[in-house]
Amino acid sequence: MAQAKPLQGKTHQAKAQFGYRRHADQDRAGQGPAEHPVVVVGAGPVGLSLAIDLAQRGQRVVLLDDADRIGEGSRAICFSKRSLEYWDRLGVGDRMVAKGVVWSVGRIFHGDSLLYQFNLLPEDGHKRPAFINLQQYYAEAYLVDRISDLPEIDLRWRNKVTALEQRNDGVALTIETPDGAYRLHAQYVIACDGARSSLRQMVGAEFAGQVFEDQFLIADVKMTAEFPTERWFWFDPPFHAGRSALLHRQPDDVWRIDLQLNRYADPVVEKKPENVRSRIARMLGHDKFEFEWISLYKFQCRRMDRFIHGRVIFAGDSAHQVSPFGARGANSGLEDAENLSWKLDRVLRGTSPASLLESYHAERSMAADENIRESTRSTDFMAPNSHQEARLRKAVLSLAKETEFGKRMVNGGRLSVPCSYDSPLSSPDADVWGGGPSPGCSMLDAPVAEQAYLTDAFRKGGTDFTLLSFSNGAAIDVPDGVKDVRIGGEGGLADPSGLVAKRYDAAPGAAYLLRPDGYVAARFRHPTRAAIAAALSQAQGLN
Ligand SMILES: O=C(O)CCc1cccc(O)c1
C-alpha cells in the first residue's frame, strides 16, 4: 500500500499524496490482459467505501484513480447518521466521529431575526448523531488507511481509464499510467468517477435534468469563532441582502460558508480572494480569517436514465447529482455503495442471479429521484425562477413569522435521510403494524445495553441477512446463513430502555428480516420457517 505524504494545507491544495507503482498487470506481454472480478473506478468516498465493503465480503477489488492525491479542495462536509452507521460497518465510524464535529440543530433566519430552529435527532438512544461535519479529505484519508488492512484491495493511483469495451462476460479496460497504457478485464466495472464521469461518456449514457442559473460562492475559512456547532441558514440577511447564506462548522476551526450570488455574477471577479474576503468580512463583522478553499458553483439536479449499462454500474455523483443543500450528494452515494456491495457479492459468488443487480437500479434510481425532487424544491425556494415564485416565497417567509404551518413551508434545505424503497425485494406486511420500519425502510437503532446498540449487534461478525427477533420463549427456526439477533429470552440481548420494542412496534414473538444493508426485507408478528424462507428468497432475488 502506498504511503500518504501529507502536504501543506493551503487554498486549493491536496491533503495527501500517494505514489504511483507499476503493477504486474502491466507486464503481461504475450499472456493477454489480467482478469479481475471487480474494478472500481474512482477513489473518492463512494469508491473507497464500496471497495472496502466488497473486500470485507471476501471479494478481490482493483481500485483505480487517475490522480495521486486526495483532498483537492474540500467538497462534501456533512455526513449523515446513516453514512456513519455504514462506516461503522466498514470499521472507520469511530475515527470519523472522533474527528468530526457533531450537530443536530439548525437555525433558519430571515433578515436578522430567527425564524425557527429544528433538531434532526431530538431523542436519545442512538449510537450515532444526526450528522457530523468533516472535511472530505479526512474521510478519504481514513478510508485509504482502512484499505491498508485489506489485502483484497489493490489501489492503483495515476491509473486513468481511457477506453472501455463491453463484452458478454465482462468489460475490457484500457488504462493509461505514467509508464504507458495497459489493458485488463473485469467481470464488473463500478464507475464511482464523480460528476464529470468519463466512464459515463464512454458508455454513451444520457445525463438529463435541470441546471440552476444562480451561482453560489463556497468558501472554507479558518478562524476562531464562537458560533455554536449548528447549521445556520439565512434568507435575505443584512450582510448579503436579497440572497441566502449558509454556515457550518468543521474540525480544525474551519468554517464552510455558502453565499448565493446572482446568475450574472462574473465568476472570475467573484472568485478573487480580495472580493470573497470583503463579502465574508461583511458576514462575520471582521476579517480575521484565512482561506482554505474557494469555489464558485452552478448546481445541477440530474441523473442517468439507467444506472447499469451492460457490465458497467454507476454509483454516486457519476449516476446522479443534486445541489449541496440537504447534504444529499455524498450521503446518497454512500447509500448506493452499501446497496450495491452485497448484491454484487452474491452475484459474483453465484448465490443470486445477475438479475438481483436490477434491484440496485430500481432502488437507487428511486432514491435519486427523491433526492433530486427535494434538492430542486430547496434550490427553487432559495433562488425563485419567476416573479410569481418570488412572491410566493415572500408570502411564505412572512407567514412563517407567525404560524407553524408557514414555518413548515419554508425550505432552506431538507437534510438527507435514508430513502424508503418500494422494492421488488420486499415482502409486503401480512400483519397489522402500528409503527416500526416497514419493508423497504432502513433499520432503526436503539440501545441493547449500556454503550451498546442494535446497529453494533447487526454488524457484529459481518453484515449479512439477519433475523431480529423478540423472544417469547419459543425457539424460532432461523434459516441457514441468516444471522440471529434476539432481543430478550435466555442469552438474548437486553432492551434496557424498552426502545427496541417501541421503535419496532414489537411484541414478544415478532421478528424482522433485515438485508445486509440494514434495510427491512419483511416482518412478521408470528414468524414461521416457511414465511421467513419465502421472504429471504424474495430478498435474494431468487424468485
Ligand atoms: O447544510 C446543508 O444543507 C448542506 C451543506 C453543504 C454540503 C456540501 C457542500 C456545501 O457547500 C454545503
Side-chain angles (χ1 to χ4, degrees):
M1 191 40 246
Q3 269 298 310
K5 276 197 280 167
L7 301 176
Q8 292 303 309
K10 287 196 200 133
T11 309
H12 280 114
Q13 201 161 35
K15 290 289 171 182
Q17 189 164 22
F18 305 94
Y20 159 75
R21 289 222 193 130
R22 192 177 175 89
H23 191 276
D25 284 357
Q26 294 166 252
D27 298 306
R28 292 176 56 93
Q31 296 173 78
E35 307 272 348
H36 292 276
V38 191
V39 172
V40 175
V41 181
V46 177
L48 291 163
S49 298
L50 178 62
I52 295 170
D53 198 342
L54 285 165
Q56 288 188 168
R57 294 180 188 284
Q59 296 294 343
R60 284 186 302 111
V61 182
V62 175
L63 174 53
L64 305 175
D65 198 279
D66 57 359
D68 60 357
R69 54 189 56 206
I70 52 176
E72 295 275 15
S74 173
R75 290 162 289 169
I77 52 165
C78 303
F79 295 101
S80 67
K81 180 174 191 302
R82 166 93 209 170
S83 296
L84 296 173
E85 289 166 354
Y86 183 38
W87 280 340
D88 277 335
R89 305 199 249 281
L90 303 185
V92 290
D94 284 344
R95 224 177 150 191
M96 302 281 184
V97 174
K99 181 70 191 175
V101 297
V102 167
W103 66 275
S104 65
V105 170
R107 290 178 200 263
I108 307 274
F109 300 88
H110 183 204
D112 56 7
S113 45
L114 177 68
L115 211 49
Y116 67 94
Q117 70 179 69
F118 58 83
N119 186 340
L120 294 168
L121 194 60
E123 48 180 26
D124 288 337
H126 295 267
K127 181 180 173 93
R128 293 307 182 197
F131 272 93
I132 63 163
N133 287 350
L134 181 68
Q135 289 90 331
Q136 184 172 320
Y137 49 75
Y138 281 122
E140 288 173 354
Y142 301 160
L143 290 163
V144 171
D145 281 353
R146 171 74 183 119
I147 282 181
S148 56
D149 305 332
L150 296 166
E152 296 85 350
I153 302 177
D154 176 1
L155 173 48
R156 303 183 191 175
W157 301 102
R158 296 192 70 190
N159 274 242
K160 180 181 170 63
V161 176
T162 53
L164 74 77
E165 198 185 301
Q166 298 265 11
R167 302 172 159 220
N168 285 343
D169 58 348
V171 184
L173 295 174
T174 306
I175 298 158
E176 196 62 50
T177 73
D179 287 337
Y182 70 103
R183 282 167 67 82
L184 53 82
H185 288 174
Q187 288 179 56
Y188 287 92
V189 170
I190 317 301
C192 305
D193 56 341
R196 294 198 192 94
S197 169
S198 47
L199 271 73
R200 193 178 59 229
Q201 282 160 26
M202 288 175 206
V203 302
E206 296 280 312
F207 200 36
Q210 196 179 345
V211 178
F212 293 91
E213 291 306 323
D214 281 50
Q215 302 181 83
F216 287 79
L217 178 68
I218 304 187
D220 282 347
V221 302
K222 193 163 172 73
M223 63 174 177
T224 41
E226 294 303 315
F227 299 108
T229 308
E230 297 174 349
R231 174 187 191 267
W232 282 16
F233 187 92
W234 290 263
F235 292 103
D236 195 14
F239 55 82
H240 195 52
R243 314 244 154 244
S244 51
L246 178 65
L247 178 72
H248 272 286
R249 174 183 229 136
Q250 302 172 62
D252 304 338
D253 290 326
V254 175
W255 298 75
R256 167 68 52 89
I257 295 170
D258 290 57
L259 293 175
Q260 181 189 5
L261 303 181
N262 84 41
R263 61 191 63 186
Y264 308 109
D266 178 343
V268 178
V269 174
E270 291 297 344
K271 265 181 83 171
K272 286 194 172 154
E274 62 273 24
N275 295 336
V276 182
R277 177 166 286 278
S278 65
R279 285 193 184 282
I280 291 177
R282 224 175 300 143
M283 173 178 187
L284 301 171
H286 64 80
D287 77 344
K288 291 179 197 59
F289 54 83
E290 299 300 321
F291 289 118
E292 195 171 272
W293 183 58
I294 298 172
S295 194
L296 202 80
Y297 278 113
K298 268 191 181 176
F299 300 129
Q300 323 226 349
C301 284
R302 53 185 186 163
R303 77 160 168 94
M304 292 174 83
D305 192 30
R306 287 205 30 86
F307 291 3
I308 304 179
H309 283 252
R311 294 287 189 114
V312 184
I313 304 177
F314 291 80
D317 284 356
S318 70
H320 45 76
Q321 267 178 271
V322 287
S323 84
F325 303 103
R328 291 165 182 270
N331 290 304
S332 66
L334 291 168
E335 286 185 57
D336 290 349
E338 192 173 28
N339 187 293
L340 179 56
S341 152
W342 68 270
K343 294 174 183 174
L344 186 56
D345 173 57
R346 292 190 64 87
V347 169
L348 287 166
R349 283 176 197 283
T351 50
S352 284
S355 57
L356 177 64
L357 295 172
E358 259 315 300
S359 71
Y360 166 74
H361 167 72
E363 293 178 348
R364 294 312 300 161
S365 63
M366 201 181 296
D369 285 342
E370 182 177 304
N371 287 322
I372 288 171
R373 209 163 39 242
E374 289 296 341
S375 175
T376 303
R377 282 187 190 142
S378 307
T379 315
D380 283 345
F381 193 84
M382 283 171 215
N385 286 311
S386 64
H387 185 56
Q388 285 85 344
E389 277 185 25
R391 278 178 60 201
L392 177 67
R393 186 180 101 147
K394 197 168 164 206
V396 167
L397 288 171
S398 160
L399 264 178
K401 287 200 176 99
E402 294 146 31
T403 65
E404 280 307 312
F405 86 90
K407 291 187 194 353
R408 283 197 296 275
M409 287 169 73
V410 171
N411 194 333
R414 305 256 148 83
L415 283 136
S416 174
V417 284
C419 174
S420 303
Y421 307 135
D422 179 7
S423 171
L425 305 187
S426 302
S427 297
D429 281 338
D431 304 310
V432 177
W433 296 81
S438 50
C441 292
S442 176
M443 70 180 290
L444 303 171
D445 204 7
V448 290
E450 184 99 357
Q451 302 299 317
Y453 292 84
L454 192 56
T455 48
D456 294 324
F458 172 71
R459 91 182 137 84
K460 212 163 159 196
T463 52
D464 210 332
F465 280 95
T466 298
L467 193 73
L468 167 65
S469 63
F470 295 81
S471 176
N472 62 359
I476 297 190
D477 205 356
V478 180
D480 284 350
V482 172
K483 213 166 71 179
D484 184 15
V485 171
R486 191 159 31 84
I487 307 294
E490 210 183 310
L493 296 167
D495 184 9
S497 51
L499 282 171
V500 188
K502 187 166 172 218
R503 289 182 183 157
Y504 284 80
D505 184 29
Y512 278 70
L513 180 64
L514 303 174
R515 308 183 337 183
D517 55 4
Y519 269 75
V520 175
R523 57 183 177 171
F524 315 91
R525 289 258 174 234
H526 309 287
T528 61
R529 187 182 169 87
I532 299 169
L536 184 62
S537 37
Q538 182 78 27
Q540 293 174 337
L542 297 171
N543 287 348

